[in-house]
Amino acid sequence: VDNGGLEDLYPALRSRVDQHLVMRQNVGPSPARNAGAAWSHGALLAFIDDDGMLASDALHNALHHFQTPELLGFRGKIVAHKHPYFTTLATHYDRGDAIVEDCLITEGHCFVRAHAFLEAGGFSDQRFGHEGIEMTYRLQRSFPEGKTLYVPDVILAHDFVDRWEKLIRKELRYF
């Protein structure tokens, strides 16, 4: 989903995608993710922020986890990409080296079964921040036997922010 500003990547993307959605304007992350999910043909959805870099084994590891039938979705570990200082401020990025039950709090790095995501209504278009927590609650209501996890072997390199001004803007949006 091009939510604004990816035109330079179109030539490289053509051979790598089977659906390419271009939003008329930046509609925000949740509506763009929901649009991508609605047009997807796959059984699994991967939500990856555009400035994140998946580890080379991330997709292989992700598929391995989905062999557990009750798994609805998971979030992976996020490590610093270029700005380790700022990323240490995001204490929710790295929960350690063990698989634990968790919410899908890192919306830009999570994997979900498509049918469950769509049946639960996708990410809330009305929220900015913590929409993954709210989505997890709806998943659990729709599928009480299902699980959502944190898995440490699906790694994304992504910076929480890259400068103080972005940190302040980001934090102010949550008030």
Side-chain angles (χ1 to χ4, degrees), residues 8 18 21 34 38 40 51 59 70 79 86 94-95 101 104 111 116 133-135 145 148 154 162 164 173-174:
D8 294 344
D18 60 353
L21 299 179
N34 291 339
S40 172
D51 57 347
L59 295 178
E70 65 271 10
V79 299
F86 288 113
D94 181 351
R95 298 245 359 239
E101 289 196 42
L104 304 177
F111 296 73
I133 295 172
E134 192 263 343
M135 172 59 171
E145 302 302 316
T148 57
V154 179
D162 59 1
W164 286 109
R173 285 188 286 198
Y174 296 112

Side-chain angles (χ1 to χ4, degrees), residues 1-167:
V1 176
D2 179 353
N3 197 21
L6 295 178
E7 294 83 9
D8 294 344
L9 297 176
Y10 288 0
L13 292 175
R14 279 195 182 91
S15 65
R16 298 177 184 192
V17 299
D18 60 353
Q19 288 285 338
H20 181 195
L21 299 179
V22 179
M23 308 309 279
R24 291 183 183 195
Q25 62 188 24
N26 186 320
V27 295
S30 290
R33 290 175 182 142
N34 291 339
W39 283 90
S40 172
H41 299 291
L44 304 173
L45 302 171
F47 297 102
I48 308 298
D49 276 349
D50 63 347
D51 57 347
M53 296 293 296
L54 280 174
S56 61
D57 61 353
L59 295 178
H60 171 79
N61 294 345
L63 291 174
H64 170 76
H65 290 292
F66 277 112
Q67 292 184 19
T68 304
E70 65 271 10
L71 180 63
L72 298 172
F74 66 85
R75 70 184 193 96
K77 179 187 281 192
I78 301 178
V79 299
H81 183 55
K82 295 179 182 175
H83 301 279
Y85 174 76
F86 288 113
T87 303
T88 62
L89 300 174
T91 57
H92 62 289
Y93 273 19
D94 181 351
R95 298 245 359 239
D97 295 328
I99 295 173
V100 294
E101 289 196 42
D102 202 357
C103 292
L104 304 177
I105 192 170
T106 54
E107 302 85 4
H109 180 43
C110 68
F111 296 73
V112 185
R113 291 190 192 277
H115 78 277
F117 181 84
L118 294 170
E119 187 172 321
F123 291 115
S124 172
D125 289 350
Q126 308 307 311
R127 297 189 64 82
F128 185 88
H130 307 299
E131 57 268 32
I133 295 172
E134 192 263 343
M135 172 59 171
T136 302
Y137 293 139
R138 286 189 285 111
L139 280 169
Q140 291 172 344
R141 275 197 309 265
S142 297
F143 303 92
E145 302 302 316
K147 293 185 183 250
T148 57
L149 304 173
Y150 161 83
V151 299
D153 64 344
V154 179
I155 299 172
L156 179 78
H158 178 268
D159 295 321
F160 186 58
V161 294
D162 59 1
R163 58 185 184 272
W164 286 109
E165 295 82 16
K166 277 190 176 179
L167 176 65

